Amino acid sequence: MGGEKTTSRFFTPGEEIISPVDDFDIPLLSGDDEGSRDSWDSLVDQRRRDAVFREVLQSYDQLRTRIGSLTDAKNKILSYTPGAWIENVGGMTLSDYDVPKTTSLLLIGPKGSGKSSLVNRISKVFENDKFASERAQVTYNSSVGDGTYFLQEYTIPRGSNSFSLYDTRSLSDDASDNINMIKLWIMEGVRHGELVIRRSDSSSLRNRMRCKAHKIGCEPSVIRKVNFVIFVVDGLAVLKSMEGDSDVEKQYNQIVATTFNCPYLSFRDDKPVVVVTHGDLLSLTDRARIRTYLGELLGIPPAKQIFDIPESSDPENELIIVDMLRYCLEHADRNLSCKSCARNKV
């Protein structure tokens, strides 16, 4: 980035937000006027994008007005137990669901997206000891290896059984590798300490990692069912891919879109939440642009399902983290599977 702010194609901070098409009247179209129809569709699409961008930009201001509710919001998360937020609909009650002992949230994302750093930031929000060491190993040079090779479970807060985060191996450039990896986790569950090997891994890498797993030699841990997914992306990489012209530059967002739309990541109609990292290196306008773009690319509401979590520990950032966790836990409970006897009853 060279210290320069990327120019926004929407608006700049502080200016009055006016749609680029507000000065135009949308024309009435004749039935055969395809050119006018395309123009009309373009104007409508632009107005819709501008409205979404405004909503996202305003969400940052709304967040500041809610800082006073941070303590209550954190206590809400701390009091959570699996199944506590189930909605009793369709004649079903809590006893009709397969409620896990621990709700498991799976973190996935491309290399260098900041999954392990996100685990540490989330953990710090609920730590009494602010000087406690970071729990997840962070890779500071994503060009060296893939970072996390073994699935790692982190209970939140530390020592609790209410819910846990699973840090995973980074996504591959090979779409089939990603689909197979995700299918395995969703269909068969996740296990702390399990080695993640992909089809495309070289034989030398496989041998090296298996040797490392053998040295660790820990007892098999509990297999947990994945209850919801957090999809983590690097805001800088998304912006670069948005503005890139070559296929290589566009590849990052293509991998994100292809993997995000993998059917195994959806729980009924609920798609994963998206967390955008490294926003502290971008202007507020670009952060809003990224969320707006991802919302359209992935088909989810950017102001409600895409969370901008930069590298900071201020109250605003803590509130965003708490909001994100509440969204995940509510949707995890909402999508719990029914017991077989309950299905028969229905």
Side-chain angles (χ1 to χ4, degrees), residues 131-163:
F131 298 99
S133 61
E134 293 188 338
R135 301 173 68 186
Q137 173 65 54
V138 176
T139 302
Y140 286 97
N141 184 358
S142 60
S143 64
V144 180
D146 279 343
T148 303
Y149 283 97
F150 296 85
L151 293 178
Q152 299 291 330
E153 181 183 32
Y154 300 94
T155 56
I156 305 295
R158 195 188 303 244
S160 168
N161 290 321
S162 297
F163 71 95

Side-chain angles (χ1 to χ4, degrees), residues 45-77:
D45 287 344
Q46 186 61 51
R47 282 191 168 179
R48 177 180 54 78
R49 291 189 187 98
D50 292 343
V52 173
F53 178 81
R54 286 193 192 92
E55 182 184 14
V56 171
L57 203 57
Q58 289 167 359
S59 69
Y60 292 97
D61 291 330
Q62 294 168 358
L63 186 70
R64 298 185 188 99
T65 66
R66 297 177 47 229
I67 295 301
S69 66
L70 176 59
T71 300
D72 290 340
K74 288 170 65 172
N75 288 336
K76 179 77 173 178
I77 300 297

Side-chain angles (χ1 to χ4, degrees), residues 96-157:
D96 293 322
Y97 293 93
D98 284 322
V99 180
K101 291 183 178 179
T102 300
T103 297
S104 299
L105 307 178
L106 187 73
L107 276 67
I108 66 171
K111 185 191 300 184
S113 58
K115 299 185 299 297
S116 299
S117 295
L118 179 62
V119 169
N120 291 329
R121 286 200 295 281
I122 292 173
S123 186
K124 285 286 187 182
V125 171
F126 301 98
E127 290 280 0
N128 292 324
D129 181 5
K130 296 302 181 183
F131 298 99
S133 61
E134 293 188 338
R135 301 173 68 186
Q137 173 65 54
V138 176
T139 302
Y140 286 97
N141 184 358
S142 60
S143 64
V144 180
D146 279 343
T148 303
Y149 283 97
F150 296 85
L151 293 178
Q152 299 291 330
E153 181 183 32
Y154 300 94
T155 56
I156 305 295

Side-chain angles (χ1 to χ4, degrees), residues 8 16 21 24 43 53 98 106 114 121 134 137 143 178 212 276 278 292 301 310:
S8 170
E16 184 181 2
V21 298
F24 297 90
L43 291 174
F53 178 81
D98 284 322
L106 187 73
R121 286 200 295 281
E134 293 188 338
Q137 173 65 54
S143 64
N178 296 331
K212 183 180 288 189
V276 180
H278 302 135
T292 304

Side-chain angles (χ1 to χ4, degrees), residues 60 107-122 230-239 252 274-283 286-287 290-291 294 306-312 317 320-321 324:
Y60 292 97
L107 276 67
I108 66 171
K111 185 191 300 184
S113 58
K115 299 185 299 297
S116 299
S117 295
L118 179 62
V119 169
N120 291 329
R121 286 200 295 281
I122 292 173
I230 302 172
F231 201 111
V232 187
V233 299
D234 174 7
L236 286 168
V238 172
L239 184 62
Y252 187 91
V274 174
V275 169
V276 180
T277 62
H278 302 135
D280 48 300
L281 303 176
L282 296 165
S283 68
D286 281 334
R287 290 160 68 180
I290 290 166
R291 291 171 66 191
L294 288 174
I306 300 178
F307 297 85
D308 179 6
I309 303 181
E311 291 271 2
S312 62
N317 207 37
I320 298 171
I321 289 172
M324 183 272 293

